[in-house]
Structure formats: C-alpha cells, structure tokens
Amino acid sequence: MNTMEMWLLPLLITLLCSPVCLSVTVSSSKLNVEVHEHTDALLSCEFKTETEQNPRIEWKKKGKSVSYVYFDKRFIGPYTGRASIDGATMMLHSVTQKDSGEYRCEVTALNDHVKLGETSVTLNVLVPPHVPSCAVPSSMFVGSGLELLCKDKLSVPPATYRWYKDNKALTATADTPYGIDTHTGTLKFKSVSKTDTGMYRCESSNNAGAPKSCVAQQLNVNDYPLNMTVLIAGAAAFLMLVVFCCICVCVCRRRGCCRSEKKDKKQQVLQPGASSSSQPQPQALQTNSVLHDLRVKHCVGLQIIQSQKYFLNVQHNLLLDVCSLLP
C-alpha cells in the first residue's frame, strides 16, 4: 500500500460514517386534495428518520397567520373532535368551505443531523350550487333600460348562470335585444318592449353538484299612462291663457293703445267751428300719426313680451307636472 492510499482510506471511512447522511425526510403521496363539502379529507404525510424513534409531529394551517391544527399530540381549536391522525397522516371529518387552504406537516427528529422535515398539502372543498338570489322588477315601462340580477355567493368553484323566460332558456346573440353575462349572472336589456313580458328565473351551476334555480318572477312591460291629471292641468292652463288674453285686451283699451285713427278723425269732424288756422297742418298731422303709431306699437310690444313670459311660465309648469307623474 503506497502513501497515497494510506491517506485516502481514512478520508473515505470518515465520509461514509459522517452524520450528514443522518437526516429526516418528509413527503406526501397527494399534494392537492379536492373533496366535496361534508365529506372526509385525507391529508397524507409520510416521514423517515435515520435514528430518531419518536419524532415530534405537527400540523399547521396557513392563512393570514399560521395556526396550529395538531400540536403536542392533540388537535387544537375547531379541529378538536372532528379530526384523527395515523402516523403523520391526518383525516378531517365532514369538511366545510372554511377548511379549504394550505396545510403543512412538520416532523422534528432531534437525534438526526437534519432535525426538521416538512411538506405542504392543499385542500380544496367543493360546494355545490345554492339557490341563487334573483332580482326581477314587477313592472317596467316600454323603452326603459333594465338589468335582471342573479347571484350565488356560496358555490365553489364559482357558479355560472343561465336565464329562463317562461321556462325557455335565453341565448344572447347579435340579433337579440338583450345580453347575458354568464359569470356575473346579469341579464341586461337596452330597451324593453311589451314582448319582453313574462316569467323570469335564473339557474346557477358548477361541477360540484346539481344546478339550482330561483323561483320564477313575473315581469310586466307597460305603455306610459295618459294620466287624467295631465289632461286637467292642460285644460286649466288653456283656460288661464284665455282669461289672460281677455285681460290684456281690456288693459290695452283702457290705456288707449288700441284706439283706431278713425276715432281721432271723427273727433276732428265734430268740431266745425274750428278755424282753418286751428287745424293742424299736413306735416303736423303726419307727425302726430307717426307718434300715435309708435305708441300703439310700443304698447302692443309690451303686451307681446308679457304674453311670451306667461307662455314660458305655463310651459315650464306643465313640464314639471308631467315629469312629476312619470315613474
């Protein structure tokens, strides 16, 4: 045996007997577990130690914070009485959606060189569809926009939705006057017509169970009503307009704005004793006639402006009355 072999043999013996190879190993035969609600869930955890005969086993659940599920050989909190353990494999009984999440199995072997081994298992609890909540108004007016709402907040995976009218499934196309969002459950009409009257219901479904439907609700689409109040208000406004016109005529006559030139000429003829010098000259008569016309036009203009203001007020009040009657 040469000198090199004498040096290599002790080194090889040291490496083979080194404690580095003495470690705990942890694994799981199924890293993702998917079960239905109210059934049992098996979370597997297998371990192997080199020297430790009684390793410490712990289960934890990850969330906003890490919480213990199994610690110091007993189950903690909500898992007490509804879980069991065999070796390091844990069984959860009658699981619910709250049990969904990531679980971590930890095995501690104090006598091994690598003292801690761990593995994670994800649990997904499937929840079948529940009866969805449906929002269908009892009546709408022709031409109005409309959204029918449907929601199932409990199903896992999230439900998809389908709408029915008079027990016939609705399918949205480019030619239909409505659109359907199967993920949010919204049935949207841009403008309803009387043909949209009927019984509407919504159905939620997923791959965890049978679909569920809400109770069908009646939708009525009606024409806008011709309310008698609108007719009475219109008739009253028209009567007030006639009365106002009569008042304007009376005021005009009283102020002398509506007297004709014939009356002025008649007064001149009834004064035969008047000398020719007292009669107005043609130029003066023309001036007086122009002034008279201007005065008449001024009075008539004022009455027209007042009438226009009144008409505007009447129209404004009518519009307010009509708008207050609309839904």
Side-chain angles (χ1 to χ4, degrees):
M1 180 180 294
N2 56 31
T3 307
M4 181 64 68
E5 290 176 348
M6 293 177 61
W7 281 100
L8 289 178
L9 183 61
L11 180 62
L12 180 61
I13 295 174
T14 303
L15 290 175
L16 291 176
C17 297
S18 174
V20 173
C21 62
L22 303 178
S23 62
V24 59
T25 58
V26 182
S27 62
S28 176
S29 60
K30 194 172 185 180
L31 299 179
N32 292 285
V33 179
E34 194 172 76
V35 296
H36 287 78
E37 190 179 31
H38 304 306
T39 61
D40 296 341
L42 182 66
L43 309 184
S44 69
C45 180
E46 294 90 21
F47 66 90
K48 182 179 179 181
T49 62
E50 295 298 332
T51 60
E52 180 65 56
Q53 300 298 318
N54 189 25
R56 185 177 71 209
I57 299 170
E58 297 175 357
W59 275 94
K60 299 176 182 179
K61 183 182 179 183
K62 292 182 179 180
K64 293 182 179 179
S65 61
V66 178
S67 59
Y68 277 102
V69 177
Y70 182 80
F71 176 75
D72 196 19
K73 299 182 179 181
R74 63 188 181 90
F75 288 95
I76 307 298
Y79 301 94
T80 303
R82 53 180 295 262
S84 58
I85 196 164
D86 181 12
T89 297
M90 179 174 64
M91 174 77 79
L92 299 179
H93 303 288
S94 188
V95 295
T96 64
Q97 178 57 33
K98 293 181 179 180
D99 295 320
S100 294
E102 183 179 347
Y103 293 80
R104 188 170 67 215
C105 174
E106 297 180 358
V107 178
T108 304
L110 297 178
N111 293 329
D112 290 6
H113 180 71
V114 178
K115 297 178 175 58
L116 176 66
E118 63 180 37
T119 187
S120 294
V121 180
T122 301
L123 174 62
N124 186 27
V125 180
L126 303 179
V127 181
H130 287 66
V131 175
S133 59
C134 302
V136 180
S138 58
S139 63
M140 293 293 294
F141 289 120
V142 171
S144 302
L146 174 63
E147 283 190 5
L148 305 186
L149 305 178
C150 179
K151 194 65 178 177
D152 175 8
K153 298 180 180 180
L154 301 176
S155 61
V156 179
T160 56
Y161 303 94
R162 194 171 190 179
W163 278 95
Y164 292 81
K165 176 191 174 186
D166 299 329
N167 289 325
K168 294 181 180 179
L170 297 177
T171 303
T173 64
D175 299 328
T176 55
Y178 54 83
I180 301 176
D181 191 328
T182 58
H183 297 289
T184 63
T186 303
L187 171 60
K188 185 174 182 179
F189 293 86
K190 292 183 179 179
S191 176
V192 294
S193 63
K194 299 196 74 171
T195 58
D196 296 319
T197 296
M199 298 288 290
Y200 287 83
R201 65 181 178 89
C202 172
E203 181 182 84
S204 63
S205 61
N206 64 9
N207 58 6
K212 293 293 180 66
S213 175
C214 64
V215 177
Q217 303 177 47
Q218 178 69 34
L219 170 66
N220 294 314
V221 181
N222 305 316
D223 293 320
Y224 279 99
L226 185 60
N227 199 294
M228 289 301 297
T229 306
V230 178
L231 296 177
I232 295 173
F238 179 77
L239 181 60
M240 292 175 62
L241 179 61
V242 173
V243 173
F244 178 77
C245 291
C246 293
I247 294 174
C248 290
V249 172
C250 293
V251 172
C252 181
R253 288 182 179 277
R254 182 173 297 179
R255 291 182 179 180
C257 297
C258 299
R259 293 175 182 175
S260 63
E261 295 181 5
K262 291 182 178 181
K263 189 173 182 179
D264 294 335
K265 292 180 179 179
K266 185 176 180 180
Q267 290 179 354
Q268 295 175 6
V269 173
L270 290 176
Q271 297 176 358
S275 61
S276 59
S277 60
S278 63
Q279 294 182 356
Q281 300 297 323
Q283 184 176 2
L285 289 174
Q286 184 177 4
T287 302
N288 291 335
S289 177
V290 171
L291 292 175
H292 176 73
D293 292 339
L294 290 174
R295 185 175 66 175
V296 171
K297 292 179 180 178
H298 177 69
C299 294
V300 173
L302 289 176
Q303 298 300 324
I304 291 174
I305 292 173
Q306 292 177 356
S307 300
Q308 289 176 345
K309 289 183 178 178
Y310 178 77
F311 287 140
L312 290 175
N313 289 332
V314 171
Q315 291 177 355
H316 178 71
N317 292 332
L318 283 175
L319 288 174
L320 290 178
D321 292 337
V322 172
C323 291
S324 64
L325 294 172
L326 296 178

